[in-house]
Amino acid sequence: MTLILPATLADALWAHAAREAPRECVGVLGGRQTGDLAQVTALYPLGNISARPEHEYLADPGHLLRALRAMTADGQTLVALYHSHPRGPSWPSPTDTRLASYPVPYLIADLRRRELRAFRLPACQPVPIELE
Ligand SMILES: [Zn+2]
């Protein structure tokens, strides 16, 4: 599959990542899925309630529930999750792989190299991102 991410939402994702650094940021992306294409139409920043937010993320469950409800109300579905790696890399960590539980791509924003990549977890299969 391919993820289509509008440049304005990519900017919002990077802004969220920069705001939270050196903590990891986390959020979800809502949109429409048509066959092999997922079009992102909304970004929902979530709180990171991990006890070690500089090394991993744990989305605030209340924030997540609210975001999923907002998506449903807007006719969107969950098309991806995102989080940042303030010190890189843009590759999933062993913890990311172990805790992955959604059948959607996971975006990782590497702040050090300003590189955004997406993966299917736990297989770490890369998913192309097209910016528009
Ligand atoms: Zn990670």
Side-chain angles (χ1 to χ4, degrees):
M1 75 171 287
T2 299
L3 207 61
I4 302 172
L5 181 64
T8 51
L9 293 181
D11 288 347
L13 191 159
W14 283 114
H16 182 205
R19 210 159 59 231
E20 288 297 320
R23 298 156 45 97
E24 295 192 5
C25 77
V26 55
V28 286
L29 300 170
R32 291 185 312 273
Q33 172 112 31
T34 315
D36 245 19
L37 280 184
Q39 170 80 51
V40 180
T41 57
L43 176 138
Y44 301 88
L46 309 175
N48 180 359
I49 60 165
S50 166
R52 300 168 64 239
E54 298 185 2
H55 301 282
E56 60 186 32
Y57 70 92
L58 180 62
D60 182 309
H63 292 182
L64 179 59
L65 186 61
R66 238 177 313 176
L68 294 173
R69 281 185 180 149
M71 283 181 202
T72 303
D74 281 350
Q76 305 164 4
T77 57
L78 175 70
V79 293
L81 288 86
Y82 72 87
H83 73 282
S84 61
H85 285 172
R87 288 165 304 284
S90 60
W91 190 264
S93 71
T95 306
D96 292 338
T97 306
R98 186 164 49 84
L99 298 181
S101 51
Y102 288 91
V104 295
Y106 284 71
L107 274 71
I108 298 175
D110 171 353
L111 276 163
R112 196 167 56 178
R113 302 172 80 169
R114 204 174 167 83
E115 192 171 67
L116 185 63
R117 299 179 74 190
F119 302 87
R120 287 280 198 179
L121 299 181
C124 296
Q125 184 189 0
V127 174
I129 304 173
E130 280 177 19
L131 289 178
E132 66 173 25

